[in-house]
């Protein structure tokens, strides 16, 4: 699986080389290239933004560097999916991460300032599948942190990246419920003990307890995830 990211802050993506994702890249399961948008400017100041037509606060990213950067990635590419992180996009979820983990080539375009000139989206959508995606209802300074979060959620679902695929099955959001609480050694810690059922060796009882704990937690913290009763 291949990823391309266009950004004016390539350093944001240095962290991807740490831990699991770095191991997946070194093992050849996934590959990514980070492109500096400013390499596609042709003025002394490497300008990527300008004032908005129609007035208003903030700056808008000019279309020309974007056009050149995306040409270099999309020309000749085999059915890529282009994602622009944006608070105005559809909301990212575990279901979307799973869907995207089945793609072969994802391209992320990170906007900054007040956004990217609309013609970049329109031109891109005319030549490739294009989606605007938000990681939640809050505003970041740019798309970089959103893309790091999405990449981590997507790459860990690529077959072969997480050593034990069973660990992906029971986690939060996979079954429509939040994950149950986990415990490890010691049995007693600062006066707090591990629930007896987890020490019982009774696998049926343990599964029932975990399911009930998941439901209770979901009802308390995220009732919106439960089907209407
Ligand atoms: N850029 C700024 N805020 C964002 C958000 N919430 N999700 C994705 N991209 C963003």
């Amino acid at each position: 699986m291949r990823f391309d990211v266009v950004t004016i802050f390539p350093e944001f993506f240095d962290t991807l080389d740490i831990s699991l994702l770095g191991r997946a890249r070194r093992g050849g399961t996934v590959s990514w290239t980070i492109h500096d948008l400013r390499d596609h400017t042709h003025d002394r100041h490497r300008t990527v933004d300008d004032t908005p037509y129609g007035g208003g606060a903030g700056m808008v990213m000019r279309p020309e560097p974007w056009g050149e950067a995306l040409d270099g990635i999309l020309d000749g590419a085999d059915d890529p999916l282009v994602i622009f992180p944006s608070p105005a996009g559809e909301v990212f979820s575990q279901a979307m991460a799973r869907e995207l983990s089945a793609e072969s080539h994802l391209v992320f375009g990170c906007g900054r300032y007040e956004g990217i000139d609309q013609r970049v989206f329109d031109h891109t959508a005319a030549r490739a599948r294009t989606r605007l995606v938000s990681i939640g209802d809050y505003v970041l300074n740019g798309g970089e942190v959103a893309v790091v979060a999405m990449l981590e959620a997507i790459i860990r679902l690529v077959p072969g990246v997480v050593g034990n695929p069973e660990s992906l099955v029971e986690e939060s959001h996979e079954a429509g419920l939040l994950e149950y609480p986990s415990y490890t050694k010691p049995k007693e810690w600062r006066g707090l003990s591990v629930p007896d059922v987890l020490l019982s060796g009774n696998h049926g009882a343990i599964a029932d307890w975990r399911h009930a704990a998941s439901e209770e937690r979901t009802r308390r913290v995220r009732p919106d995830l439960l089907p209407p009763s």
Side-chain angles (χ1 to χ4, degrees):
M1 186 172 191
R2 165 166 178 210
F3 303 92
D4 287 282
V5 181
V6 182
T7 172
I8 57 167
F9 292 120
E11 316 84 271
F12 265 102
F13 299 90
D14 290 350
T15 55
L16 290 181
D17 268 316
I18 303 172
S19 85
L20 205 81
L21 307 195
R23 188 146 38 89
R25 183 193 208 181
R26 289 187 292 278
T29 319
V30 298
S31 65
W32 60 79
T33 308
I34 312 300
H35 307 262
D36 188 342
L37 184 69
R38 291 192 200 277
D39 290 345
H40 300 280
T41 57
H42 300 283
D43 64 309
R44 214 157 48 86
H45 301 290
R46 313 223 307 155
T47 311
V48 291
D49 62 324
D50 217 320
T51 52
Y53 278 126
M59 301 288 268
V60 176
M61 295 185 109
R62 294 174 60 105
E64 307 98 312
W66 277 103
E68 195 180 294
L70 290 169
D71 286 347
I73 297 166
L74 298 177
D75 286 351
D78 182 16
D79 197 26
L81 172 62
V82 185
I83 294 175
F84 291 104
S86 163
E90 48 181 323
V91 180
F92 189 70
S93 63
Q94 186 66 16
M96 196 191 296
R98 204 160 264 295
E99 184 189 332
L100 297 179
S101 72
E103 293 281 339
S104 58
H105 185 188
L106 296 178
V107 179
F108 292 92
C110 302
R112 282 259 143 189
Y113 313 110
E114 298 304 304
I116 305 174
D117 186 292
Q118 179 61 34
R119 290 166 293 180
V120 174
F121 304 111
D122 297 342
H123 189 267
T124 306
R127 63 171 163 171
R129 292 177 298 138
T130 301
R131 291 169 83 162
L132 250 60
V133 179
S134 167
I135 61 162
D137 292 339
Y138 42 82
V139 179
L140 304 166
N141 284 332
E144 284 78 7
V145 167
V147 171
V148 169
M150 287 192 264
L151 281 173
E152 180 153 326
I154 295 165
I155 293 174
R156 61 195 295 282
L157 296 176
V158 172
V161 171
V162 167
N164 177 3
E166 272 189 25
S167 65
L168 299 176
V169 175
E170 296 202 342
E171 60 195 13
S172 291
H173 299 294
E174 281 294 346
L177 293 175
L178 301 182
E179 195 175 12
Y180 50 78
S182 298
Y183 296 86
T184 187
K185 294 171 190 69
K187 281 183 200 168
E188 290 278 333
W189 179 74
R190 298 193 177 181
L192 301 170
S193 41
V194 174
D196 285 339
V197 62
L198 299 180
L199 310 173
S200 69
N202 180 338
H203 297 296
I206 292 170
D208 288 348
W209 181 88
R210 286 178 168 164
H211 186 75
S214 278
E215 274 189 346
E216 185 282 321
R217 179 180 267 181
T218 309
R219 200 171 307 113
R220 183 166 40 84
V221 183
R222 292 292 307 277
D224 55 298
L225 295 176
L226 293 169
S229 54

